């Protein structure tokens, strides 16, 4: 019987950014942004095997029990699948810019502030040249030495990781996958995304004076309505956090249509 070729790198003590990405792409075989179901079983089985081969102690016990324990440890949002941010905690990445990113942008509020700073042309995307500036600042803040080729490699790796449609730029929802799962409030809006016409109608309803922007109180009411309409529960603390994060995109307390559209619509405005 032919032995199934094991994924390279799982046995390594340290992974480079591109090796980490190769592992991700190998296991997320359907490209949906998660390792789940059969993909997850294969990953866990091969990880166990690689660890044993590398002399790392692995507890005895049946597969199901070990896998359950593994998921309790790493599946931070308990959705039964592993996403890229969670995988970064499992694998020993040498230049772990995912963790480096989190030290710099630890909360969704900081993330939205950074987004506003680097989406310099307010297009709703961060493009390759803007991403490079973003990573350069990030590495400086983290006191990590780097040279131009390394910065270029990071930029390309992040694009390969998160640019799901291959257009060479990152939308807000793509880039937010760098956030810790618990902090990624944009995930909460999945399944609640609005079509452009629907968004325009809602925005017009709250922008009562037709000024083209809404304030924090109007955003508060809009979010409550959106959650009630979608029959989703949200406590006051969550609502406050989401509102604060989104208001970081505002201009002096004025949240313009374009900024809110980036968060609530399927595609950023063109």
């Amino acid at each position: 019987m032919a032995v199934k070729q094991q994924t390279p790198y799982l046995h390594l003590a340290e992974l480079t950014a591109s090796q980490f990405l190769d592992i991700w792409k190998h296991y997320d075989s359907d490209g949906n942004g998660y390792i789940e179901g059969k993909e997850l079983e294969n990953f866990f089985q091969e990880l166990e095997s690689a660890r044993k081969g590398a002399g790392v102690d692995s507890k005895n016990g049946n597969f199901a029990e070990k896998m359950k324990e593994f998921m309790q440890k790493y599946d931070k949002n308990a959705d039964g699948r592993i996403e890229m941010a969670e995988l970064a905690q499992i694998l020993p990445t040498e230049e772990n810019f995912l963790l480096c990113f989190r030290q710099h942008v630890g909360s969704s509020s900081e993330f939205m502030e950074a987004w506003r700073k680097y989406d310099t042309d307010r297009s709703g995307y961060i493009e390759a040249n803007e991403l490079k500036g973003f990573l350069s600042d990030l590495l400086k803040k983290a006191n990590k030495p780097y040279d131009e080729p390394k910065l270029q490699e990071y930029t390309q790796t992040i694009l390969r990781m998160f640019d799901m449609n291959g257009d060479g730029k990152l939308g807000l929802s793509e880039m937010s996958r760098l956030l810790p799962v618990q902090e990624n409030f944009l995930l909460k809006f999945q399944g609640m995304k609005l079509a452009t016409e629907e968004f325009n109608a809602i925005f017009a309803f709250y922008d009562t004076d037709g000024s083209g922007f809404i304030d924090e109180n109007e955003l508060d009411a809009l979010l409550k309505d959106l959650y009630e309409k979608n029959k989703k529960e949200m406590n006051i603390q969550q609502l406050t956090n989401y509102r604060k994060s989104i208001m970081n995109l505002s201009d002096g307390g004025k949240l313009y249509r374009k900024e809110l559209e980036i968060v609530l619509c399927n595609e950023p405005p063109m």
Side-chain angles (χ1 to χ4, degrees):
M1 190 175 82
V3 177
K4 182 177 178 290
Q5 190 187 358
Q6 191 175 315
T7 324
Y9 314 136
L10 280 181
H11 64 288
L12 295 178
E14 279 194 329
L15 298 168
T16 66
S18 53
Q19 286 169 341
F20 174 85
L21 181 58
D22 287 343
I23 289 173
W24 175 263
K25 294 215 179 242
H26 176 83
Y27 288 106
D28 178 22
S29 50
D30 57 4
N32 72 342
Y34 297 96
I35 298 176
E36 58 189 339
K38 194 67 189 160
E39 297 168 340
L40 186 55
E41 280 182 34
N42 290 343
F43 169 70
F44 183 67
Q45 218 156 9
E46 291 180 22
L47 182 65
E48 281 279 287
S49 162
R51 284 176 169 173
K52 277 182 187 157
V56 177
D57 270 351
S58 179
K59 290 181 193 160
N60 292 323
N62 71 42
F63 182 79
E65 278 170 15
K66 285 198 282 189
M67 186 150 173
K68 186 180 171 190
E69 196 179 314
F70 172 82
M71 291 301 284
Q72 280 171 344
K73 185 173 179 183
Y74 292 110
D75 180 21
K76 301 295 185 196
N77 60 346
D79 65 352
R81 50 193 188 174
I82 294 289
E83 49 206 84
M84 189 176 287
E86 290 166 335
L87 185 66
Q89 305 287 331
I90 299 166
L91 299 177
T93 310
E94 165 210 25
E95 300 132 338
N96 201 336
F97 49 84
L98 289 178
L99 297 181
C100 171
F101 178 92
R102 287 187 195 163
Q103 283 155 9
H104 174 39
V105 184
S107 72
S108 54
S109 290
E110 288 172 311
F111 172 79
M112 296 298 256
E113 274 176 45
W115 177 269
R116 166 110 199 219
K117 180 181 172 188
Y118 291 97
D119 179 18
T120 48
D121 55 2
R122 310 293 281 279
S123 63
Y125 295 97
I126 287 185
E127 294 171 41
N129 59 333
E130 293 166 332
L131 177 61
K132 201 168 169 185
F134 176 84
L135 292 173
S136 171
D137 278 7
L138 164 65
L139 291 162
K140 281 177 195 157
K141 282 207 173 190
N143 289 321
K144 283 194 174 277
Y146 66 91
D147 54 20
E148 185 59 29
K150 183 58 74 179
L151 183 61
Q152 193 61 37
E153 185 201 332
Y154 283 175
T155 304
Q156 289 311 311
T157 303
I158 293 264
L159 274 173
R160 280 179 64 210
M161 276 182 172
F162 296 109
D163 177 18
M164 302 307 281
N165 60 0
D167 61 359
K169 48 193 181 181
L170 298 174
L172 183 67
S173 56
E174 290 173 322
M175 193 72 176
S176 71
R177 290 170 63 204
L178 278 164
L179 277 169
V181 177
Q182 311 89 295
E183 275 292 338
N184 192 348
F185 77 98
L186 289 164
L187 289 174
K188 309 290 187 297
F189 289 108
Q190 283 181 354
M192 290 169 49
K193 292 286 188 182
L194 302 172
T196 305
E197 305 75 44
E198 205 180 357
F199 171 79
N200 288 340
I202 287 175
F203 193 89
F205 179 80
Y206 287 97
D207 177 21
T208 47
D209 58 0
S211 60
F213 63 83
I214 59 175
D215 64 23
E216 196 159 354
N217 292 331
E218 290 164 332
L219 176 63
D220 193 60
L222 186 154
L223 289 175
K224 280 178 182 160
D225 281 0
L226 193 58
Y227 266 76
E228 279 167 23
K229 175 178 170 266
N230 285 276
K231 298 183 170 54
K232 299 216 178 211
E233 287 180 25
M234 177 162 63
N235 63 39
I236 296 299
Q237 187 57 52
Q238 282 176 316
L239 182 68
T240 305
N241 291 345
Y242 297 168
R243 187 182 67 234
K244 186 179 163 200
S245 297
I246 295 171
M247 284 307 290
N248 278 316
L249 289 175
S250 72
D251 187 356
K254 298 174 180 177
L255 184 66
Y256 285 89
R257 173 193 296 270
K258 193 172 181 181
E259 272 65 44
L260 188 57
E261 195 172 356
I262 290 169
V263 176
L264 295 183
C265 285
N266 287 315
E267 289 296 332
M270 295 310 285

